[in-house]
Amino acid sequence: MACIKADVWRKGRWSLLLLLGSVNAACSGYKPQPDVELTPRMEPRAVESTPFTEVWSRKAGRGFGGAVAQSDTVIYFGASDRHVIAVDLRNGAQRWSARMQGPLAEGVAIDSVRAYAVSERPDGRAYGIDLSRGTKSWDRQVGFPSSAPVLADGMLIISTRRGVVQGLQPSSGIVAWRRVLGVVRAPAYITSPGEIIIATTDSLFRIATATGKVLDRKRSPGAVLSGWASSAQFRIAGTTDSVVVGMLPDSLSVAWSVRLDAPVIGTPIVRGDTAYAITRVGSLYHIRLGGTPAAERILSLKTPFIASPVMFRDWIVAGSADGVLYGFNLDGSIAWQITIAGPIELSPLVLSDGFLAIGGRGDLHRYRL
């Protein structure tokens, strides 16, 4: 059916041109891109009983699907409502939103050109998305994802629930290699140029990034659900067996392990010669790394913690499942706390002058010291 009726010609040449423009836009489904909003969404306000000012807050999607990626001025995240969204860190303005074919459960990775995400449906699909405009560069079926995508040495590493780890070319999505290793829950960890560590539920693998070749394999000291931390001497991770382990940096050999009071879901953090870990039941431990490492509990909150802690200035910052964001002093005392929507399942993003807190209902809060 023609979009233009014959009697339009009677209305004159300029009317026709205007009509053609509007009709063609309607027929093509064209929607002009909105201008980026550069004005603040709220007046900054001091947060009572803390040293912070809340610069802005906003709702962004219906909830976050895994890891959040950040550049100097923009954050990128996957939402459970099938969108990858870019938000300006300066004021909370949405830069763009790109709809995928299914929910995004494991998060986003970025390089200087594209954002990368994997949707749950149909059958797990990977996407390369232009960073500046939010348009899709490519998409490829890879299988249902089991951990966040990771960029390492010019390769996009994707793990699936069938135990397959794949290396894709970021520019095209072409699969360079596939390896069946077992179920992976933690993102690939970059150890040195050309190598990554993959942790399955029962094994640790050292992999050549370019080819996927298995260089070494050891039995896992326990299931690692989050990432690894590095000290001068060790690679450190927590396990669901309530153990924190330290591996030698040039091998998969476990140098030491210490037992805590509950599973360690998040990644430990390292400050100097001390590591800090929070258990599932809200106990904060410090682990002295010199000599024979030993763990000491310095705080017990008896509230669930799901996300990894981060270090900002001299505070350990961690969010609880009931929506409280804590700042702990290094001796385990509570320096401050902020209540946001829970559960807090993702770590705050550390910025030069503060951090971005991520709530459990698709809410973002930008705090400045």
Side-chain angles (χ1 to χ4, degrees), residues 263-310:
V264 181
I265 306 300
T267 304
I269 54 179
V270 174
R271 179 72 172 264
D273 61 354
T274 304
Y276 297 87
I278 298 180
T279 67
R280 180 69 171 77
V281 297
S283 296
L284 175 63
Y285 285 82
H286 69 208
I287 303 166
R288 304 296 185 189
L289 301 179
T292 301
E296 178 185 356
R297 183 168 58 191
I298 56 177
L299 179 67
S300 179
L301 287 176
K302 302 188 184 303
T303 187
F305 282 77
I306 305 169
S308 300
V310 297

Side-chain angles (χ1 to χ4, degrees), residues 33 105 134 146 156 176 184 206 220 230 237-238 254 261 277 299 360:
Q33 292 292 324
S146 62
L156 178 64
V184 176
R206 189 162 57 91
S220 175
S230 293
V254 174
D261 63 356
L299 179 67

Side-chain angles (χ1 to χ4, degrees), residues 27 51 73 79 83 133 186 203 339 351 362:
C27 291
T73 59
H83 287 81
R133 296 177 295 172
S203 298
T339 300
L351 307 170

Side-chain angles (χ1 to χ4, degrees), residues 141-283:
Q141 186 173 322
V142 293
F144 294 108
S146 62
S147 64
V150 171
L151 286 157
D153 300 307
M155 197 69 69
L156 178 64
I157 310 299
I158 293 174
S159 304
T160 74
R161 294 178 199 166
R162 291 185 178 272
V164 179
V165 179
Q166 303 165 77
L168 280 65
Q169 296 175 2
S171 60
S172 63
I174 293 173
V175 178
W177 53 263
R178 284 188 178 92
R179 294 290 179 271
V180 179
L181 301 179
V183 178
V184 176
R185 291 301 303 161
Y189 177 72
I190 303 169
T191 60
S192 58
E195 294 183 7
I196 54 175
I197 287 178
I198 300 290
T200 69
T201 52
D202 61 3
S203 298
L204 298 175
F205 295 87
R206 189 162 57 91
I207 303 288
T209 314
T211 64
K213 180 180 179 181
V214 176
L215 305 174
D216 194 9
R217 177 182 181 179
K218 291 284 195 314
R219 183 173 180 81
S220 175
V224 177
L225 298 187
S226 192
W228 297 74
S230 293
S231 71
Q233 298 172 285
F234 308 109
R235 300 191 190 102
I236 302 167
T239 76
T240 57
D241 295 337
S242 308
V243 171
V244 173
V245 299
M247 290 192 328
L248 297 175
D250 298 323
S251 73
L252 298 180
S253 300
V254 174
W256 54 265
S257 64
V258 293
R259 183 164 292 279
L260 310 186
D261 63 356
V264 181
I265 306 300
T267 304
I269 54 179
V270 174
R271 179 72 172 264
D273 61 354
T274 304
Y276 297 87
I278 298 180
T279 67
R280 180 69 171 77
V281 297
S283 296

Side-chain angles (χ1 to χ4, degrees), residues 45-55 337-339 366-367:
R45 63 176 186 86
V47 183
E48 186 178 353
S49 301
T50 80
F52 294 100
T53 296
E54 187 175 24
V55 180
Q337 60 190 72
I338 302 170
T339 300
R366 169 73 164 93
Y367 296 105

